[in-house]
Amino acid sequence: MNSRLLTALRSRKMLTALRSRNVWTRTATLAAACILSTAAAWAQAPAAAGSAASSKVGVISIRQAIVTTAEGKVASAELQSQFASRQNEIENLNKQISDLQQRLQAGANKLSQEEEARLRQQGQRLAQRLDRMNTEYQEDVNAAQADVIDRIGRKMVDVLDRYARENGYSVVLDSSAQSTPILYASTQIDVTQDIIRLYDQAYPVKAGAAATQPKPAAAKPAPATTQPPAAKP
């Protein structure tokens, strides 16, 4: 029983860390794919309007572009600050579960049946609580990140549209979208850095913007020993 509980608890802890690191990437990829479907259609509009339109093709990593803009970097820092206390709560609960498992292992064949049963039940309750916290945390992080990506992505579509029209592009492909597999693309047609530069010019971030954001609601104190959510671009 102890070995099964240990395996389950370790699996939950590893899953928590992996989900925290990957959530920003997954959300950015999905949102970017939706945004770029609109951008690609707009970029192709000039070619459809006349037979003399240019046949230039460009490539952009929309995911990289969103998170690399000044606004994207500020938003990433804000999300880390916003969810840091909850991430600490989760890590603190993980530590409680780990400590409890160590007590069970150290007390093997020494604890009374009543004490061992009590510790096992306590571990199960903590594990169930951890699962709920993980689910709520991940749902809230996903929603917050989707809002940020939607806000930046929609403005980036406008920047990309103007850039494509002014530079004669008939299509711009997203190299970061799984739905658009690109086997090869020359760096000479990659417009990612151009779009980042134009976006930052069009939507500059005020100095100290991240520091002036309101602090999140206080949570239960926990040791700040973990990394906040991965926005981890």
Side-chain angles (χ1 to χ4, degrees), residues 13-218:
K13 187 170 184 179
M14 291 176 63
L15 185 59
T16 299
L18 289 173
R19 286 175 174 172
S20 298
R21 286 196 296 268
N22 293 334
V23 67
W24 171 267
T25 300
R26 291 198 307 271
T27 306
T29 301
L30 293 174
C34 296
I35 293 166
L36 255 289
S37 63
T38 302
W42 287 10
Q44 294 180 63
S51 58
S54 171
S55 59
K56 288 178 64 175
V57 175
V59 173
I60 182 174
S61 173
I62 195 67
R63 181 176 62 194
Q64 176 188 349
I66 289 175
V67 301
T68 308
T69 61
E71 185 178 352
K73 292 177 181 178
V74 169
S76 176
E78 290 171 355
L79 288 178
Q80 289 184 14
S81 175
Q82 178 182 348
F83 289 98
S85 61
R86 291 177 63 178
Q87 178 67 10
N88 285 337
E89 282 188 272
I90 290 173
E91 291 299 327
N92 188 44
L93 186 55
N94 265 317
K95 185 178 184 304
Q96 293 179 43
I97 294 174
S98 178
D99 291 344
L100 181 61
Q101 183 58 38
Q102 290 178 8
R103 289 177 59 189
L104 281 169
Q105 289 180 325
N109 302 321
K110 299 178 183 178
L111 296 172
S112 65
Q113 292 183 349
E114 292 78 8
E115 178 65 7
E116 184 176 353
R118 186 187 69 81
L119 292 177
R120 287 176 180 172
Q121 291 176 357
Q122 183 180 354
Q124 292 174 354
R125 289 194 297 269
L126 290 175
Q128 291 172 353
R129 180 184 171 194
L130 178 62
D131 285 341
R132 290 194 299 269
M133 290 178 64
N134 269 325
T135 298
E136 294 172 358
Y137 169 81
Q138 290 153 18
E139 289 175 349
D140 291 345
V141 168
N142 281 336
Q145 291 174 345
D147 288 342
V148 169
I149 293 170
D150 182 70
R151 183 184 76 236
I152 297 176
R154 290 184 183 280
K155 291 185 291 185
M156 187 167 286
V157 166
D158 294 335
V159 174
L160 179 58
D161 177 54
R162 289 195 301 271
Y163 178 87
R165 293 175 186 274
E166 292 173 358
N167 292 275
Y169 285 91
S170 58
V171 63
V172 178
L173 303 174
D174 179 17
S175 61
S176 64
Q178 294 181 353
S179 58
T180 311
I182 298 176
L183 300 180
Y184 171 78
S186 170
T187 56
Q188 295 179 349
I189 66 170
D190 192 311
V191 302
T192 304
Q193 294 304 318
D194 288 340
I195 298 304
I196 294 172
R197 174 177 53 80
L198 292 173
Y199 185 96
D200 286 343
Q201 292 176 359
Y203 304 99
V205 173
K206 295 180 180 179
T212 60
Q213 293 299 314
K215 295 181 179 180

Side-chain angles (χ1 to χ4, degrees), residues 219-233:
K220 296 179 181 179
T225 58
T226 63
Q227 295 294 326
K232 317 161 206 150

